[in-house]
Amino acid sequence: MKKILFVLLTLCATLSLFALNTVKAEESAPSTSDWMPHRYMLSGYEIPTVMTYDETSVTFSGSLNAGIATTGFNYLKPVDLNNFSIEMDLDIPDIDHLTWLCVTFLDTCLIKDAENSTAPVAMPFNAMSGEGGWQNTKQKGLVLQLWTQALVSDQVFGFSYVSKGVNFETGEATNSGWTDYTNNSFVNSIKLDNEFDGKFKLDIHSTEEGLAFNLNDGAWKYQDEEGAYTQTRDSLAYNNTLGLKEYFKDKDCYMALELMYKDEIHRTVNLKVNKINGLNPSDNKTPSYLEPKEIEKDGIKATIPTNAVGVFGVYPSAIDGLKVVKYDEEDGDYEVVSKRATSLNGTLIDYFRVVPQIGTTNVVLQNPMTVEYTLPGTYDSYKAYFINDDDETQSFPNSYVSIENNKMTLKVDNDVINKIAIYGLMDEKPVDETPKENDTNDSSSTTKKGCKGTISISILSIGIILTTTVICAKRKRDE
C-alpha cells in the first residue's frame, strides 16, 4: 500500500510539474499583440507600415522610397541576445536598390519626441528628420546594417556592426552617437552559398568571447586575403562583442527591423515573420492594442475606435483618461445655447465637452469617437446640438445621434463637433377628441376645451352654440 501511495504521489507531482511547465510555455508563447508596425512618419509623410497575420505568421507591408518613410516593425517583448533567432521571408522588390536593411537591438522599444509627445510609438532607429528637426538619441544598443547592392548580382551581403551610444569594448553607455566597429569585430562581407530566394534567418548565441552572430544557418563564405569568397566560419563576429553582451546584462533588449530605398520610386514591401526564437509568432488574434478603448467619467462614457486617434503610431490602448468640461454662463457660446432652448420650447439639460487623454495630454482625433450620455428620463424627447464654426448651435446629423434605453449615443470628433448641448423637450398634449358619454352619437360631434369647462358642440344645435358663446363672453367680462 505504501508503495502504491508513493507512486500515486510521484505521479501527481509529475503531472503538476508538467501542467506548470505547460502554463509557463503558453504564457511565453508569442502573439500578434507582441508585434507593432512602424507608424512614425519621417518628414511628416503619411505612409505607415501595415501588419497582417494568419495562424502561423505576421507580415508587415509598406510602400516607401528614400527619405520619406521606413517600412518596418518592433517586437514588443524583450529578447535575450544570448539566445535569439528570427526567420523571415523577405518580399523586397529591387532589393539591390535598398539603402540598407537593418536589424536593431536597442534598450528602448517605443519612444516619443517633441512633436509626437502624446505617447511613445514604434519609430525607426534613424528618425533623424522627424517633424521639428528632432533626433532620436534615446535608444542605445546595436544597429546591424545589411547592405544589399550586390545581393542580386553576386549573392553578396555587406555588413556594418554599428554602436548606438554604447562602447562595445567596455559595455558602457556613451553620448558619442554612432561608432562603426565592423572592421575589427564583424565580417564585413559574405557571399551566400545559393542564390538569394528571400529566406532570411538571423541567430545569436552566447560564447566565452561574447556573442556569435550567424546568417542563414551558416550557408555563406567570406573573403580571403585575395578577396575571393572561400573562407568559412561559424560566426560573423571576430571580437568586441563582449561589451554589447555586458551592456544588456541588466537591461531589456528589444529587436526591430526596418529598411529604406535609396531612390525615389515607391515599392510595396512585405516582411513576413515565420519564427521568433523557434516559435510561431502569431496566435491569429487581433492585437490587444487595436481594440477600441472604453473609458468613463462623470457618467459619460467614451469609446475610441482604432482609427480615431489622429497621431500616427498612437493606439487607443494608450488612452488612460477622459476630460469632461462643463460649461456655464461664463462660456462665450452660452447665450446662443440658451436661445436654442427657447426656440425649441425646451430645457437645456447639459452643455459640455469630452476629450480623451493620455496623462494630461489631450488626444487628437482624426475620426469620431462615440460618447454615451445618460438621459434624465423626465422629458418626452431630447435633442442634441453642437457649436459650429460660426458659433451657432447646429443639430447633430441623424447618423451621428441615437437614443436607446434612456442613453443618447453621439459621434464626436473634437474638431467639427466639439462643444455639445443636450435639450429636453415636453410634447404638447394632444387635443382630446373622445366623445363624452352624454354626447350625442352623431359622428360629427367632438369634445373641445372652452371657457372654463368642457362644452359639447353639435352642428345640429346652432342655437346652443350661440347661447353658449354669449354666456362665455359675459363670464369673461365679469372676471
Side-chain angles (χ1 to χ4, degrees):
M1 177 64 72
K2 289 183 179 180
K3 288 184 177 180
I4 295 174
L5 181 60
F6 175 78
V7 171
L8 289 175
L9 290 173
T10 302
L11 179 61
C12 288
T14 303
L15 291 174
S16 298
L17 182 60
F18 175 79
L20 180 60
N21 288 337
T22 302
V23 170
K24 286 183 178 179
E26 290 178 350
E27 289 176 349
S28 62
S31 73
T32 55
S33 297
D34 297 326
W35 304 89
M36 184 175 285
H38 283 170
R39 294 183 62 83
Y40 179 80
M41 301 299 105
L42 292 181
S43 304
Y45 284 80
E46 301 177 0
I47 314 174
T49 305
V50 176
M51 184 176 82
T52 56
Y53 51 88
D54 56 27
E55 293 180 352
T56 60
S57 65
V58 291
T59 300
F60 301 89
S61 304
S63 173
L64 73 162
N65 66 20
I68 290 183
T70 57
T71 292
F73 59 84
N74 282 31
Y75 186 57
L76 304 181
K77 274 187 174 181
V79 300
D80 181 6
L81 274 182
N82 296 288
N83 184 24
F84 170 81
S85 68
I86 185 169
E87 299 177 42
M88 303 179 63
D89 289 330
L90 305 180
D91 178 11
I92 304 175
D94 303 324
I95 193 169
D96 55 332
H97 285 65
L98 290 183
T99 302
W100 39 247
L101 171 70
C102 287
V103 186
T104 64
F105 299 92
L106 304 171
D107 59 5
T108 307
C109 185
L110 307 179
I111 57 176
K112 61 181 180 179
D113 62 27
E115 294 298 322
N116 180 31
S117 58
T118 306
V121 300
M123 69 168 70
F125 73 94
N126 67 321
M128 291 297 198
S129 58
E131 293 184 19
W134 183 85
Q135 295 186 8
N136 174 4
T137 58
K138 297 183 180 181
Q139 295 171 300
K140 298 180 184 294
L142 167 67
V143 176
L144 181 58
Q145 294 185 302
L146 287 80
W147 307 92
T148 60
Q149 289 85 345
L151 183 59
V152 175
S153 60
D154 301 316
Q155 291 81 56
V156 170
F157 269 115
F159 285 96
S160 291
Y161 179 72
V162 179
S163 160
K164 194 173 188 295
V166 177
N167 186 316
F168 284 170
E169 296 177 357
T170 66
E172 297 177 350
T174 70
N175 294 318
S176 59
W178 296 78
T179 303
D180 192 338
Y181 284 83
T182 307
N183 293 333
N184 296 322
S185 64
F186 225 78
V187 174
N188 59 18
S189 178
I190 66 169
K191 182 172 183 175
L192 301 179
D193 291 346
N194 302 299
E195 183 177 347
F196 181 68
D197 59 359
K199 300 297 181 183
F200 179 85
K201 180 181 179 182
L202 174 69
D203 60 79
I204 308 171
H205 66 269
S206 178
T207 67
E208 292 183 1
E209 294 78 20
L211 297 169
F213 292 73
N214 206 345
L215 190 71
N216 287 12
D217 291 323
W220 51 269
K221 296 179 177 63
Y222 75 105
Q223 291 174 304
D224 57 26
E225 293 181 356
E226 296 179 357
Y229 291 91
T230 61
Q231 304 285 79
T232 60
R233 323 175 35 95
D234 58 3
S235 173
L236 295 166
Y238 284 112
N239 49 39
N240 287 349
T241 58
L242 274 174
L244 179 65
K245 182 178 179 178
E246 182 67 21
Y247 181 76
F248 283 110
K249 185 176 180 179
D250 57 357
K251 297 180 181 66
D252 285 338
C253 178
Y254 296 93
M255 187 275 301
L257 185 146
E258 49 268 307
L259 57 90
M260 180 180 283
Y261 280 101
K262 66 177 64 173
D263 56 29
E264 296 182 359
I265 299 174
H266 281 274
R267 302 169 178 88
T268 298
V269 172
N270 296 291
L271 311 172
K272 182 180 179 182
V273 181
N274 299 309
K275 296 286 184 181
I276 179 77
N277 296 325
L279 301 174
N280 182 348
S282 172
D283 58 3
N284 203 28
K285 297 179 181 178
T286 302
S288 57
Y289 57 82
L290 293 180
E291 296 291 342
K293 182 66 174 282
E294 289 187 359
I295 194 159
E296 188 169 356
K297 184 179 180 181
D298 297 342
I300 297 175
K301 183 172 74 175
T303 302
I304 301 94
T306 302
N307 66 346
V309 181
V311 181
F312 275 99
V314 177
Y315 297 96
S317 58
I319 294 171
D320 55 14
L322 195 65
K323 182 179 181 180
V324 179
V325 181
K326 298 282 188 174
Y327 298 106
D328 55 22
E329 293 86 351
E330 299 295 323
D331 178 67
D333 295 310
Y334 193 81
E335 183 178 353
V336 297
V337 171
S338 298
K339 286 182 178 180
R340 177 59 65 182
T342 302
S343 67
L344 291 173
N345 195 25
T347 302
L348 176 63
I349 297 174
D350 212 341
Y351 178 33
F352 62 95
R353 181 188 179 195
V354 179
V355 184
Q357 291 187 315
I358 297 175
T360 58
T361 302
N362 293 347
V363 176
V364 176
L365 299 180
Q366 65 178 2
N367 289 300
M369 63 178 176
T370 59
V371 172
E372 184 181 275
Y373 183 90
T374 302
L375 299 167
T378 54
Y379 296 87
D380 295 319
S381 61
Y382 300 88
K383 295 284 186 182
Y385 283 73
F386 65 94
I387 303 297
N388 62 25
D389 290 339
D390 296 323
D391 294 327
E392 299 172 341
T393 53
Q394 180 176 331
S395 61
F396 271 73
N398 291 335
S399 62
Y400 273 51
V401 59
S402 62
I403 298 176
E404 187 176 358
N405 297 328
N406 216 40
K407 305 280 188 181
M408 177 181 283
T409 302
L410 306 164
K411 290 184 179 180
V412 178
D413 59 12
N414 275 325
D415 182 17
V416 177
I417 298 176
N418 190 339
K419 298 162 74 174
I420 305 163
I422 297 178
Y423 301 93
L425 286 70
M426 298 297 293
D427 295 340
E428 293 184 7
K429 291 184 178 180
V431 175
D432 184 5
E433 297 182 348
T434 306
K436 298 297 182 181
E437 291 183 0
N438 58 354
D439 287 342
T440 65
N441 291 328
D442 193 301
S443 61
S444 59
S445 250
T446 60
T447 301
K448 292 188 179 292
K449 302 276 184 178
C451 301
K452 287 195 173 182
T454 301
I455 303 169
S456 295
I457 305 174
S458 174
I459 60 175
L460 299 178
S461 306
I462 303 298
I464 296 175
I465 294 174
L466 294 173
T467 304
T468 304
T469 302
V470 172
I471 293 172
C472 284
K474 182 176 186 304
R475 285 179 180 174
K476 200 166 190 70
R477 285 197 301 272
D478 293 342
E479 291 173 358

